Amino acid sequence: MDVHRCRFVPYPASPVNALAFSHETSKNRAAPETLRLALGRANGDIEIWDPKNGVWVQELILRGGKGRSLEGLAWTHDLEEEGPNGEVLPGKLRLFSIGYSNAVTEWDFAAGMPLRSSSGNQSEVWCIAAQPRWNKQRDGQNTRRDQLLAVGCSDGSIVLHSTEDGGLNYLRTLQRPSNLKARVLSITFKGRDTVIAGCSDGTIWIYDIRGPGKVKRTMSLGAGPKGSSNSILVWTVKVVGKDKLVSGDSNGELRFWDLKTATQFQRVKCHDADVHDVASNVDGTSLLSAGTDRKMCRLQYDAASRRWHRVSHTKVHRHEVKVMAVLETKGLNLVVSGGSDSVPTVTPLGKFGSEYHRSLPSFPNIPPVVSAPNHRLLVSWWDREVHLCCVTADLLNHKSIRESGDVPLEDSVMDKILLQGEEAITSVDVSSDGCHLLVGTTVGCRMFKLRPRNQNSVKSSQSSTEGLKIRTLKVPKTLSSCGARHVKFSPDGKWLLIVKPNSTLLLYRIIKSQTLRAQTEILESPVELDRRKHSSSTISQPLDGTLGEYQSSVCRVAWSSDSRIIVCGDLSGNLDAWILQGDEKPLDHTSTAAKLSTNGHAKDARKDSSSSESSGSSDEDESILDDSKMVLGQFWSRSRSGLPNLSAFSLILSFYPPDLVTHEAKSGETQSHGSSLSTYDRHRPGKAVDKLVAVTALHDIYEFEVLGGRLSDWSRRNPPSHFPPEFLRDKERAMGCVWDTHNNKKRIWIYSSTALWMFDMSGDFPENVLAKGPRNQMTVPGDEDAHSSKGRKRKRDDDEERWQDPRGHTSGAGDKIRAPLMQHGFGGDVRTTNTDDVETTQTTDPMDLDQQGNLEGFSSEEDEGMESSANNRSETFSTLVQHRRANEVDGGMSLRPDINKNQSNGDLTHSNMTNGVSRGYVDGDDTGNIRHENGLDMEENTAVVDSDPMPAQRRSIHFWRTYQYRPILGIVSLGRVEDNITSGVDSDEAAPDLEVALVERPLWQTSLDLPWDSRP
C-alpha cells in the first residue's frame, strides 16, 4: 500500500471558546448515562462529547455559519414529571448558547438545529450562567421551580430569562451597577437567589434576584496597573465552598473573597498575564487556574492556616487557555480545558501530578475528506468552502508541495467552491465516477457537475494540474430545500441518500445523461425509508434526565458494493437495513416519461410479486409495494432480519469492497442477488455482498451478514475480546477505514487521529494473543450458555475490573505516571541481584525508558493483572471459540497461511508473535516495512528474529499499528496502479497496487500566533 502524505489540504484550526457539562458535579454519585460535554468553537460549531467511563467519543457537531461565533454555553435540567400511570418521567436536558449578538439560543439535539431564541431588550451578550436546579429539601416548597438563565451584557446590565414550561422567555433586567456602562465579563450563581458578576471596571457586584433584583454589595479590585489608565478586568468569578469567592483578573492574580463580609482576605500571583478561568472541586479545597501564559496553576487550601498555597503548574496547551469545565463524580475527577490552539485537553483534578493529561482530537470524528478513486479526485471541506484536487504525479511533484508540503496550494492547482449563504457545510460526497459532487447544509443541498479541463487526463496518474470545470446542476426543489446531516451517493451513481437533520432518510433517483452535454436528472419525488421502532433504553435514575430523541439520531450510513443494500446506525447502537427489490425497467430519455412510467411499473411489480407471495402475507409485506415507493419498477423494503443491537454506537460502517466480493464469489461463498422479493426470501446467510464490518465506540469490531441478520462465522470465531488489547485500550477512537484486497488479501486499515491499525480478516487470530473470556460481548443467539458461569461465583478482583475498565482506574484523563518517573532529584529505584559469588546493585535511571521494559505506556502490573484475570475466567467461552475454529480446518491446512499442521504430530503451529505482530512481511516486503511515496520505510517497533523455517512468502501479519502519522484528518483511497506488478516477479513480492492519500494537519503547522513559545 502506497501512502501519500498530504499536508497541503486546508483545514484551519478553530479556537475553543466555551465548555459546559450537562450535569452538576456530585462526587457521591456515579456519572449518569446522559452525561454530555458541550464544546463551543469560535466558528460557531458546537460539539457534543460523551465522557462515559473515560472513553471520550464525539457524537455530534452542531454546525455554525458565516459571521457566527460561540462565546458561552449553559445547560438546564427540567424537573421530573408524573406519567399517566403514576411513574416518574425524567426531565429534559436543554442546551443554550450565546455569541456576539443579543440573542440566547436553545438547540434541538434531535434535529441538529436551533430550536428557539430570545433577544429580549438587551445589548450584546458577553457571558451566561444557569441557575442551580431546584431541590425540595434545600429550597423549600414555595419557591420558583424553573431554572433561570442570567446573561451579562456589554452595557453593564444583567438580564434574566425563564425556561418555564419548556420555553425561553425574557423575564426582567436587573439594576445596572453604574452609569459607566461597564461590560459584564463574567457571571455565576451562588445558590438560587444570588447572582455575582465581574465587570470591566474592576468591580464585582452581588445581586439578590428575589424581588426587583437590587445590588446587595459591591467589591472593588482597586486601581489598574501602575502607569496605566486602564481598569482591572475581572475575567472570571467562581464560588468556592459555601461562602468564599475567587476571581481572576487581567493582572494575573487570583483574589479570594469572603462573601459574608464582602471583603478580600488573600491575593495570589499565579500568572504572567490575564487569568481567564478558574476551576474548583466540590469541596472547595483544590483550584486550577488558567490564562494567557498557557499555564495551569494548582492551588491547595490549608485548613490550619486558612490560606491558599500555590502547589505547582503545568503547560498542556500551546496557546492561551480560555475556558475550563469541571467534572467530579464517583468515577471521574477531571478538568477539561480549551483555548486558541483548538485542542481540548483533559487534566486530572484530584490526581493532578500523578496522572498524565490527555488531548482530545480537534478534528471531526467523521473525516471531512472523500475521494473518487477512479479519477484520483480528493475532496475536502470546511466552513462554507469545498476544495478539490486530482492527486496526480504532476501534483505530487509540484513546486509548492516539494518545497513546503504544509502550505495550501494556489488556485491553479486546487479548485475551490464557495457556497453562498450563511450556513456551514454539514456533509459532502462525490460520485464514484467523479462526475457529480453533492454539498449538504442544514437548509438545503446543492449539486455540481465536475469535468476535467483536459479530457485526455481522466484516468491518467501522470496528467497535468489543469484543474476541473465545475458547473452547478439544477436539482428538484424538494432536494434544494432539504437540509442534510449526511449525504451519500450509491456506488453505481443511480441513487442519492439524504439523511435530514431530524434523521429522516430520503432516497433520490438519479437519471444519468447519455451524453456529456445532456443534463443529469433527478426525480422530484424522493423515497422515504421507514426505520424500525427500537425500544428506548431504560433509564434507571429519573434524576439523570433525558436527551429526548437525540439517542435515535442517525450517525453513520453505508452502501453495499452492488448498491442494493443500505445500513444506518444511530447513537443508541441500533442498526437498520433496507434492500432494493425488483428489476429496473427501461426508461425513456426524458424525465417526463420516467415520471409517467412509475405507476405502470408499480402495478407490474405488484403483479409479479403477488404470484410468488404466499396467501398468508403480513400487512407489513403488502405495504412494501406501495405506489409511492416504486421508482422505475424498483422499491426499497426494510430487511426482515433485524440486525443485533450493538453495545455502543457505530463509528465505522463499511461493506465489503467489490474486489473482495468477487473473490469470495469465485470461491463459492456467494450467490447472486435475486431481483424479486421471493428471491430474497430464499437467500442463505453468508453472502459476501451483504457482509458489513462495524466498529463501535468501544472499539469492538463485528462482521455482520445483513441479509441473515446475524454475525458472520468469522466474527463468531473472533469476538471483540480476541482482538489485540492495545487496540481495545487505545484512547483515540476510530474515524474511518480503507480496504486492501490486493493479491486476494482481506485487510482492513482502521485509523484514528493519531494511530493507523491493520487487521487481517482472512483468518483467525492466533491463540497466543487471545484474551480469554468475553469483554463487552454482544449477545449472540445460542451463545448465552457459553457466557454464563453458573455455580462458579467468585469475588471480582481488581485485575478483572482493570480489564473491563480501559482507563485502568484513572480519573478519566491520561494514564497513571509510573512511580520511577514521578521521582525528582538524583537516584532512582535500586535493584539488588544476588548471585552465587557476588551481590551486585543496579540503579535504574527513571528517564531511561528502555530500562522500564514498557514502551507502550502501560505498567507491568497492569499487564500481569490482565493476564491473571484472563487465566481466571471461565474456559467455556474459549472452548466454544476453539470448536468453531476447528471446524474451519480441512485437509491438514487451516484458513490462514501462517497456521500449518505438523505432519509428524498433527499439532497446529503458529508463527511467533512480537508485540502482537507476527514475524513476516507487509505487502511483499519481508522486513516488516511499508512503502511511502517519499521512499521512506515505516519499521516495526521491535526487532524481528527470523528463526521460523517457513518461507517468507507464506508468512503474514495478524494485526499491525503505527503512530507515525499525527494528527490525521482522513485517509481516502486513490484507486489502483495497474502497472505496479512487473512481469517475471512473484505477486507476493510485487509493489502494492493500492494508493491512499493520508491527509495530515499538524497543529504546529497551523496559522496560530504563539507569543509564549520563546519563554522557558
Side-chain angles (χ1 to χ4, degrees), residues 793-813:
K793 296 182 179 179
R794 63 182 180 87
K795 186 177 179 180
R796 191 167 71 178
D797 51 30
D798 295 338
D799 294 332
E800 183 175 357
E801 292 181 357
R802 183 182 294 112
W803 170 259
Q804 294 182 358
D805 184 4
R807 298 184 288 112
H809 292 298
T810 61
S811 61

Side-chain angles (χ1 to χ4, degrees), residues 216-293:
K216 293 174 56 178
R217 292 187 177 183
T218 304
M219 299 179 294
S220 177
L221 277 69
K226 184 180 296 184
S228 175
S229 59
N230 297 329
S231 302
I232 299 177
L233 305 178
V234 185
W235 289 115
T236 179
V237 288
K238 292 291 174 63
V239 177
V240 180
K242 294 183 178 180
D243 299 314
K244 301 296 186 294
L245 179 74
V246 60
S247 65
D249 53 49
S250 56
N251 287 342
E253 296 178 341
L254 293 180
R255 304 186 184 222
F256 297 89
W257 309 80
D258 188 349
L259 294 177
K260 293 182 179 179
T261 59
T263 57
Q264 174 184 312
F265 65 88
Q266 188 179 359
R267 182 170 63 180
V268 181
K269 178 70 173 180
C270 295
H271 298 268
D272 301 330
D274 300 46
V275 179
H276 288 162
D277 205 354
V278 176
S280 170
N281 62 352
V282 177
D283 298 333
T285 59
S286 180
L287 282 178
L288 280 179
S289 63
T292 308
D293 58 354

Side-chain angles (χ1 to χ4, degrees), residues 516-533:
L516 293 177
R517 295 184 178 181
Q519 182 76 17
T520 300
E521 300 177 3
I522 301 178
L523 298 187
E524 185 174 359
S525 299
V527 177
E528 182 176 351
L529 301 180
D530 298 329
R531 297 177 59 191
R532 192 182 302 273
K533 294 183 180 180

Side-chain angles (χ1 to χ4, degrees), residues 113 165 201 314 377 599 684 830 868 874 910 954:
M113 298 177 63
D165 297 332
D201 59 353
T314 183
L377 180 62
N599 293 334
R684 66 173 182 86
V830 178
S868 62
S874 175
H910 297 260
R954 298 296 305 276

Side-chain angles (χ1 to χ4, degrees), residues 60-285:
L60 176 67
I61 298 181
L62 304 173
R63 294 295 182 181
K66 179 182 179 181
R68 302 177 189 175
S69 179
L70 199 141
E71 300 299 327
L73 291 169
W75 291 83
T76 63
H77 186 181
D78 293 344
L79 296 178
E80 294 79 20
E81 298 179 356
E82 184 177 354
N85 298 326
E87 70 277 11
V88 179
L89 301 179
K92 184 179 180 180
L93 293 170
R94 303 166 63 185
L95 177 63
F96 302 87
S97 67
I98 60 172
Y100 285 133
S101 66
N102 64 340
V104 179
T105 304
E106 181 181 359
W107 291 85
D108 187 355
F109 294 108
M113 298 177 63
L115 180 61
R116 60 176 62 92
S117 63
S118 175
S119 58
N121 187 17
Q122 61 202 28
S123 60
E124 189 179 61
V125 178
W126 276 68
C127 53
I128 185 173
Q131 186 183 30
R133 197 164 183 257
W134 178 81
N135 184 281
K136 181 179 179 180
Q137 298 178 354
R138 180 190 60 192
D139 304 320
Q141 189 73 22
N142 300 324
T143 59
R144 190 185 183 102
R145 301 186 181 183
D146 62 316
Q147 283 184 271
L148 302 179
L149 294 176
V151 296
C153 304
S154 60
D155 61 353
S157 61
I158 297 178
V159 181
L160 299 180
H161 293 263
S162 173
T163 61
E164 189 175 8
D165 297 332
L168 179 61
N169 302 310
Y170 166 81
L171 188 60
R172 66 177 182 271
T173 301
L174 302 181
Q175 179 183 354
R176 285 184 172 86
S178 66
N179 295 327
L180 299 178
K181 294 185 178 181
R183 297 187 304 273
V184 180
L185 302 178
S186 56
I187 192 171
T188 188
F189 275 88
K190 180 186 180 298
R192 287 179 57 87
D193 303 329
T194 304
V195 173
I196 304 175
C199 303
S200 60
D201 59 353
T203 58
I204 299 175
W205 299 81
I206 304 176
Y207 294 86
D208 187 355
I209 62 175
R210 294 173 295 183
K214 294 184 178 180
V215 177
K216 293 174 56 178
R217 292 187 177 183
T218 304
M219 299 179 294
S220 177
L221 277 69
K226 184 180 296 184
S228 175
S229 59
N230 297 329
S231 302
I232 299 177
L233 305 178
V234 185
W235 289 115
T236 179
V237 288
K238 292 291 174 63
V239 177
V240 180
K242 294 183 178 180
D243 299 314
K244 301 296 186 294
L245 179 74
V246 60
S247 65
D249 53 49
S250 56
N251 287 342
E253 296 178 341
L254 293 180
R255 304 186 184 222
F256 297 89
W257 309 80
D258 188 349
L259 294 177
K260 293 182 179 179
T261 59
T263 57
Q264 174 184 312
F265 65 88
Q266 188 179 359
R267 182 170 63 180
V268 181
K269 178 70 173 180
C270 295
H271 298 268
D272 301 330
D274 300 46
V275 179
H276 288 162
D277 205 354
V278 176
S280 170
N281 62 352
V282 177
D283 298 333
T285 59

